[in-house]
Amino acid sequence: TAHLHSIRKMGLFNRKKLVEAVDPSFISGEIDYISEQLSDEGVQLQLMAMATFIAILFSLRMTSKNLAKGLGGEHVLSIHGLNNVNLFKEVFLSYLNAAILEPILTIGGMETSNTTQIIINLLSLGSICWWIYLITDAFSFEDVTQFFRYHVDLRQEYNEDPKRYPWFKLKDRNEDAEIERSALSGEIRKDVALWFMLACILAAWIPGVVNHHDVLHAYVIVIFWIVLHHYCRQATVWRSNYFVTLLFPSTALMPMEYCLPLMDVADTVDDLAFVESYREFIKERTGIELIIET
């Protein structure tokens, strides 16, 4: 008790936090600096070029979404190609996981505050995180196999005696299929990850605050994406237009989560009965009839 009292007396439990007053001139100085940078013609030109480029891609994206309503029919799935794309995905993710540290270390290692470099590095950090999410989500097929398990295998058992399982609620499969088929056109929030990288590269070629050194990761990620896109199309193609799947990553990556369970022979594929049942599940949910080559 005496020891605890001495500790309290030292102030380890009741120490008040010292709040350092912020000099108002510092804040106004930073605001003036940002305003000065934004008024620079080179910066304005770079921002205008990036915004225009993304707007053009967004317009093309909306056109492509309307064309996706007619998707369906037979499409070949190469198991060998699926293995290749899955392996290269690991290389891509390894680079992203290593690159994510650089913006943090750069900001932490600044001897003097540089608002422009802080903003550039924060945007770089955000875009890398965006790509990690994009790739991880595309190659994570747990949600698809979960839906298959509940709505195909367990639904059959449920339909035999629905009154026995009043707590078990299943979505209507037709409504879900309509939602999923509309998703065949991809998702804009994922496609913007590539658009932002391309816009950054474009801005680096225009005189201004952003240079090629600042967008080095953008160059590498775009190159990685071109290679990954090539492997994706070798595995399966649900959209025939090459440039559509290249410029809109979600359209090329979306089929992966449906096809990858067919590669997992250790835990998923038991026999041809499962393959046939799973193939019918994909057809019902997306309208795509897979022709499996291995």
Side-chain angles (χ1 to χ4, degrees):
T1 304
H3 179 63
L4 181 60
H5 177 72
S6 64
I7 292 177
R8 286 175 177 164
K9 198 171 182 181
M10 292 167 60
L12 293 179
F13 289 96
N14 59 359
R15 185 190 311 169
K16 294 182 179 179
K17 294 183 178 179
L18 297 177
V19 180
E20 184 178 346
V22 179
D23 187 358
S25 63
F26 173 78
I27 298 177
S28 61
E30 289 297 311
I31 295 175
D32 292 340
Y33 175 78
I34 295 174
S35 301
E36 182 182 348
Q37 290 293 320
L38 291 177
S39 62
D40 183 83
E41 292 185 3
V43 175
Q44 291 180 353
L45 186 59
Q46 286 184 332
L47 291 175
M48 183 63 68
M50 293 176 68
T52 303
F53 181 75
I54 292 177
I56 292 173
L57 288 177
F58 180 81
S59 300
L60 293 175
R61 182 69 181 79
M62 298 306 296
T63 303
S64 173
K65 186 174 182 179
N66 295 330
L67 295 176
K69 296 179 179 179
L71 291 178
E74 295 184 349
H75 297 270
V76 175
L77 168 63
S78 169
I79 299 297
H80 175 70
L82 201 59
N83 293 334
N84 289 336
V85 70
N86 191 52
L87 287 173
F88 187 78
K89 172 262 302 183
E90 295 295 332
V91 179
F92 198 168
L93 274 179
S94 297
Y95 172 81
L96 292 172
N97 290 329
I100 197 173
L101 292 174
E102 184 183 344
I104 300 174
L105 295 175
T106 301
I107 295 174
M110 289 182 179
E111 296 182 357
T112 58
S113 177
N114 187 323
T115 305
T116 302
Q117 285 301 313
I118 290 176
I119 294 174
I120 290 174
N121 280 282
L122 286 176
L123 289 174
S124 178
L125 176 64
S127 61
I128 293 171
C129 291
W130 207 337
W131 271 95
I132 292 175
Y133 167 78
L134 172 63
I135 300 299
T136 303
D137 179 68
F139 287 86
S140 175
F141 56 84
E142 285 82 3
D143 56 337
V144 174
T145 52
Q146 181 188 77
F147 193 93
F148 173 79
R149 178 63 174 163
Y150 275 94
H151 289 263
V152 177
D153 293 342
L154 298 184
R155 183 185 285 272
Q156 295 176 358
E157 184 177 351
Y158 170 79
N159 289 337
E160 293 176 0
D161 188 7
K163 295 182 180 180
R164 184 181 175 183
Y165 311 101
W167 44 266
F168 193 51
K169 305 297 182 181
L170 292 171
K171 292 182 179 179
D172 183 84
R173 292 175 67 172
N174 293 328
E175 292 181 2
D176 179 78
E178 290 181 5
I179 296 174
E180 195 64 19
R181 291 184 185 190
S182 66
L184 283 173
S185 60
E187 299 181 46
I188 292 178
R189 63 188 177 90
K190 295 180 179 180
D191 296 335
V192 172
L194 176 65
W195 302 353
F196 181 74
M197 291 297 180
L198 293 174
C200 289
I201 294 174
L202 175 64
W205 287 92
I206 301 173
V209 68
V210 178
N211 55 50
H212 293 286
H213 178 268
D214 295 326
V215 299
L216 178 61
H217 286 306
Y219 279 107
V220 178
I221 289 174
V222 169
I223 292 173
F224 267 109
W225 164 242
I226 292 173
V227 178
L228 183 65
H229 171 260
H230 172 73
Y231 279 126
C232 286
R233 290 187 65 91
Q234 282 190 332
T236 186
V237 179
W238 292 11
R239 299 291 299 270
S240 58
N241 192 304
Y242 183 90
F243 291 101
V244 168
T245 54
L246 179 64
L247 291 176
F248 311 132
S250 59
T251 60
L253 293 173
M254 192 278 292
M256 295 298 106
E257 63 178 357
Y258 281 99
C259 298
L260 283 170
L262 294 171
M263 187 187 76
D264 188 13
V265 294
D267 300 320
T268 305
V269 179
D270 296 323
D271 48 31
L272 276 177
F274 167 82
V275 176
E276 183 179 22
S277 176
Y278 187 74
R279 182 178 177 274
E280 288 299 318
F281 162 74
I282 294 177
K283 179 181 177 181
E284 177 184 351
R285 202 167 187 223
T286 65
I288 302 295
E289 299 181 59
L290 286 181
I291 306 299
I292 302 171
E293 293 183 350
T294 182

